[in-house]
Amino acid sequence: MVMDVVTDSSIDAVMEVTSQVIEAIIELGVASNNVIIGKKSFAQLSEYLHKIVPLLSELRRKDLCDSDSLRKVVEILNHQTKLAKQLIQDCSNRNRFYLFVNSRSIAKRIGDITQEISRAMSCLSLASLDISLSTRDDIDKLVNKMKNAEFKDAIAEEEILEKIEFGIHQRSVDRTFANNLLVSIAKAVGVSTDRTALKREFEEFKSEIENVRLRKNEAEAIQMDQIIALLERADVALSLEDRGKKYLIKRKSLGMQQLEPLMTFNCPIAKEVMVDPVETPSGYTFERSSIEKWLADKPTCPLTSTPLDSSMLRPNKTLRIAIEEWKDRNTMIILASLKSKLSSGVREEVLVCLKQLLDLCEQREIHREWLILEDYIPTLIELLPFKDRNIRNQTLKILCLLAKYNDDAKDIIAKVENAIKYIVQSLGRQIGEGKLAVALLLELSKCESVRDYIGNVQGCILLLVTMLTSEDHQAATDAKNVLDNLAFSDDNVILMAHNNYFKYLLHRLSAGPDHVRMAMAKTLWEMELTNHNKSSLVEDGVLDFLLVLVSHDDVEMKIVAVGALLNLTTLKKNGQEAIKKHAVRPLFEILHHQTSSEKLREHVSAIIVNLAISTIPEDSAAVSVPLLESDEDILELYSLINFTGPGVRQNILQIFHALCLSPSAVIIKLKLRQCSAIPMLLGLCEVDDSTLRANAVMLLCCLTEDDDEAKILDHITQSSVEALLMIIKNSKNEEEISSALGTIANLPGSAQISEWLLESHCLTSSLTSLFNSDNIIRSKKNQFTESVAGAICRLTVETNVELQKKVVEVGIIDNLLPLLETGSSLTRRKIGVSLTQLSLSSPELSRQICRRPVFRCFSALPEFCQVHRGICTVVSSFCLLEAGAVKPLVQVLKGEPNPEACEAALDALLTLIDGESLQNGCKVLEEANAIAEMIKLISHPSPCTRLQEKILSSLERIFRILEYKQKYGQLTQRYLMDLTQRGNSNLRSLAARILARLNVLHDQSSYF
């Protein structure tokens, strides 16, 4: 009996033992947290013991240990806690695989300890003890709970143990079963599934059997042998070399001739070798499917005719094993004989061999293992470069089967020279072959040691990325999975990015360690991204990641992040997105930070240039996000011009130039003018740095546009004018020349500036270089020709005839006339203004001479100008008639939809009928069909009141001449009647006056 072990002892001794038990229980609770096997059971035992502690503590405190029964309980508790501690120690020191396969035994021992303690506690008379009622109730409940306690492994662990039992009883389990079982055990006990760690743990497990034999536990020793035999089928149990030696010894012992099946192997019904033999009670064996089919019709034995049903059939395991051994023997012999035929080079023979090998591989996993051990893989790899697609496809199928679930095969394939290269080549072939190749690569990429081989093959990642868009869903999925597996390497991730697959680059950029994030950002900086790449990267959130790095403490990290942003924001929509994500403020902080390097500032300012350009709307309907949110931002940025290097300065000038073209242009221009930007820019127009000067001129052109002429006069100097002309003469930058021309066009029409232009030593050479270089003809930008035309407007002001002469001498009229046909509406308008200004000077410059020759014997008099009635030339009098400008101007009236351009052309033509030139001028206009076109313009599709008033005023004068009144009166009348009804008061009055001249209305009509 339990109580027989209890010995008499003094009260002090019992008190001491009680204290030891309490300490042991506490230690047991701590130690149970560290066990791996049986953790749940140990925790349950520890919980029970801890609930006994309050009782022991109360007994010790009240000196209630003089009871014999109590002393016996304390002794039993002491003994059982020691057993529990020893069990925990064993579970901490023994091999984890060993502990796992014995976990049921461990659970049983914990259960035994629990039952012993519960029995001892149940013998204790709690009612006789002077303890609290709550303690008595707690102990009663605890004893009942301990009596009914069950200790079992977790469900997952129990499933693994059941698989072990199944594998022991089922002798034909394959290598995959053993591999999976070993990995499951490793995961359950917390051992790494790395091949080396598994092998080490398994070897330690095998050594445990010696300890079992020393304990003379034969049953456990037999069980250990069975488990070891089962797990030795796993790859880690034996090296490939050892398995190969073992296989070859067995295969060579079989000879080279296949054996015919024994008669007993054949089913008496089907007359074929059986696969699943079953035995009848009378001792006869049949193929299961055949006998079950027989019994469905006749419930008797085919051989004895005795009653029989399917429930009486039993598997004939002995015969089944014999059949399988016979099949395995013949298969080994077949495999040994086929290898040489694969290398024959004869297409038909090779295909037959491949078909046989493929069938064997699909039948059983052990066949695939034998192919590997027969060293078939190098021979199969040699078939991949074959021209015959069927051979390549069959080979890829076999290699894929060999590689599946077999790391040794994967490793062998990868190490065969050019193997991965040949597989990758198949990726780029027809979809069927490519699908097989990517499936093989997927299997290979599951092995960590092989992934480097795949990523290093040139073109592999490109082909995989291309296959992502394949119409074959399985091929696309496999390609994605291969890329996922290859993404373990940063180099592969970068290579994927270079092939337009950014998934893993973005992942590392967001969550990788600093050195990896730096490498990814640097990649984005250095890559030549397409606009599609830039757009998709921003849509996938790259800006958020980069803006975090821009604010990083590490300077190098800032630099690469800024570089990446610089590359991405060259796309306007990305620039707008960056502004929305509040990128401007951190960039400004870097610009203003005193410790920022000049190179970093240049990159940052270049990004802001891109952001500024993104605010320029591409069409009138577009709405852009402003770059600078306040006046302080504008002033803050402008203040940096004088405190930074030339690179940053020129970028800041570009920023303001772009902003002057954005919807916020009015505010930007106002603030810059208030900051005295114009004199600063005029000074920069004279510097030697061509890039800085070009940016200054472009911004200057914007600021002088529509500005107060008096303010410009305050800052402009003769040297500034000279500098602008020198730029036109010497610069090779078309935008700089265009801006210099635009600035000249914006100069006030003051006599002083005209004198400076006239006195300039390089005006003539500047214009000559401008036209002789054919810049105007070659340029496809309207802005350039508009700037040229605008500058000529300023140079031909009628207030300075000498300046006009100097300009015309260069041949400017001849160069402008072609632009009336090819230029934009604005260009045509400005040319019209220039020709008007020149033509207004023609009457005074036309040389008048006596019409009657003094000596009749001399040659005929020179031809007089039809309009000015003097001697005119283009150079001397700027005569439009001599320049051939009349017809081009009439063409503008005829085909120009812009009313302002039509008005400018009309103004030039009307100079021909000014004053006394009316009769002669009208004749010229009539010959050029100008009068008819003028009449049509009265009903212009985009009516301009000022244009209509000018036409009506001129027609009123023209119709004073009877000839034109009669010729055009009827045509004009229809348009005039319309104006009298819908025009404004001025137009109605003018129309009525003409109608009166045409005798349609009385001259006292109320329309006047």
Side-chain angles (χ1 to χ4, degrees), residues 455-510:
N456 290 335
V457 174
Q458 185 177 6
C460 176
I461 288 178
L462 171 61
L463 290 170
L464 288 169
V465 172
T466 303
M467 193 170 280
L468 290 175
T469 57
S470 171
E471 293 180 357
D472 189 297
H473 176 72
Q474 187 59 53
T477 302
D478 287 348
K480 176 188 174 298
N481 291 335
V482 175
L483 290 169
D484 291 348
N485 292 338
L486 295 183
F488 78 100
S489 160
D490 293 339
D491 290 338
N492 287 346
V493 169
I494 291 172
L495 196 54
M496 290 177 199
H498 280 286
N499 289 286
N500 301 331
Y501 189 63
F502 296 97
K503 174 183 175 182
Y504 284 99
L505 181 142
L506 290 172
H507 181 265
R508 278 167 166 72
L509 196 62
S510 65

Side-chain angles (χ1 to χ4, degrees), residues 230 430 618:
L230 172 63
Q430 289 187 358
E618 294 182 350

Side-chain angles (χ1 to χ4, degrees), residues 610-825:
N610 291 341
L611 303 189
I613 292 172
S614 77
T615 64
I616 303 173
E618 294 182 350
D619 54 66
S620 57
V623 179
S624 61
V625 183
L627 176 69
L628 305 178
E629 297 179 351
S630 64
D631 293 350
E632 288 72 20
D633 288 341
I634 300 172
L635 298 174
E636 184 181 355
L637 184 60
Y638 180 78
S639 67
L640 291 172
I641 292 179
N642 295 322
F643 300 102
T644 52
V648 178
R649 292 174 73 188
Q650 67 191 33
N651 283 339
I652 293 174
L653 294 175
Q654 285 187 57
I655 293 167
F656 282 123
H657 176 253
L659 293 176
C660 285
L661 303 176
S662 73
S664 57
V666 174
I667 297 172
I668 298 296
K669 290 180 181 180
L670 176 63
K671 289 299 173 184
L672 289 177
R673 289 164 184 158
Q674 290 174 355
C675 294
S676 301
I678 290 179
M680 181 271 294
L681 294 172
L682 287 169
L684 292 178
C685 290
E686 302 180 37
V687 300
D688 293 330
D689 186 330
S690 60
T691 307
L692 181 60
R693 185 187 65 226
N695 288 310
V697 174
M698 287 190 284
L699 180 56
L700 179 63
C701 180
C702 290
L703 293 184
T704 54
E705 186 179 10
D706 302 325
D707 193 18
D708 185 350
E709 291 191 356
K711 292 181 179 178
I712 297 177
L713 278 172
D714 289 341
H715 305 302
I716 200 76
T717 64
Q718 188 169 7
S719 63
S720 303
V721 173
E722 193 72 19
L724 291 170
L725 293 172
M726 287 296 292
I727 290 170
I728 297 170
K729 177 182 177 182
N730 298 323
S731 178
K732 303 298 181 184
N733 184 331
E734 186 178 291
E735 284 190 281
E736 183 182 15
I737 297 171
S738 177
S739 297
L741 289 165
T743 304
I744 289 176
N746 297 336
L747 292 178
S750 72
Q752 181 63 70
I753 293 179
S754 297
E755 283 300 317
W756 288 340
L757 289 167
L758 181 61
E759 293 170 5
S760 172
H761 297 294
C762 61
L763 174 61
T764 302
S765 56
S766 295
L767 294 176
T768 302
S769 66
L770 182 65
F771 291 106
N772 288 350
S773 63
D774 290 334
N775 276 335
I776 298 177
I777 297 172
R778 287 188 292 104
S779 177
K780 295 181 180 179
K781 298 179 181 178
N782 285 333
Q783 183 182 357
F784 185 80
T785 54
E786 287 166 2
S787 297
V788 172
I792 300 303
C793 277
R794 176 59 187 82
L795 294 172
T796 56
V797 290
E798 56 190 294
T799 56
N800 195 317
V801 177
E802 293 303 316
L803 181 58
Q804 287 181 328
K805 287 181 178 180
K806 195 169 185 179
V807 171
V808 172
E809 286 173 359
V810 180
I812 199 157
I813 295 179
D814 291 337
N815 284 288
L816 289 181
L817 291 180
L819 295 179
L820 284 174
E821 180 181 353
T822 62
S824 65
S825 295

Side-chain angles (χ1 to χ4, degrees), residues 400 403-405 410 438-447 482:
C400 192
K404 200 168 188 177
Y405 308 122
K410 295 179 178 72
V438 75
L440 175 54
L441 284 177
L442 177 57
E443 291 301 329
L444 295 174
S445 66
K446 294 175 183 177
C447 181
V482 175

Side-chain angles (χ1 to χ4, degrees), residues 85-100:
K85 285 180 67 177
Q86 183 60 48
L87 183 58
I88 286 178
Q89 188 175 355
D90 289 344
C91 289
S92 302
N93 297 332
R94 304 292 290 274
N95 174 265
R96 283 179 280 186
F97 280 14
Y98 172 78
L99 293 171
F100 182 83

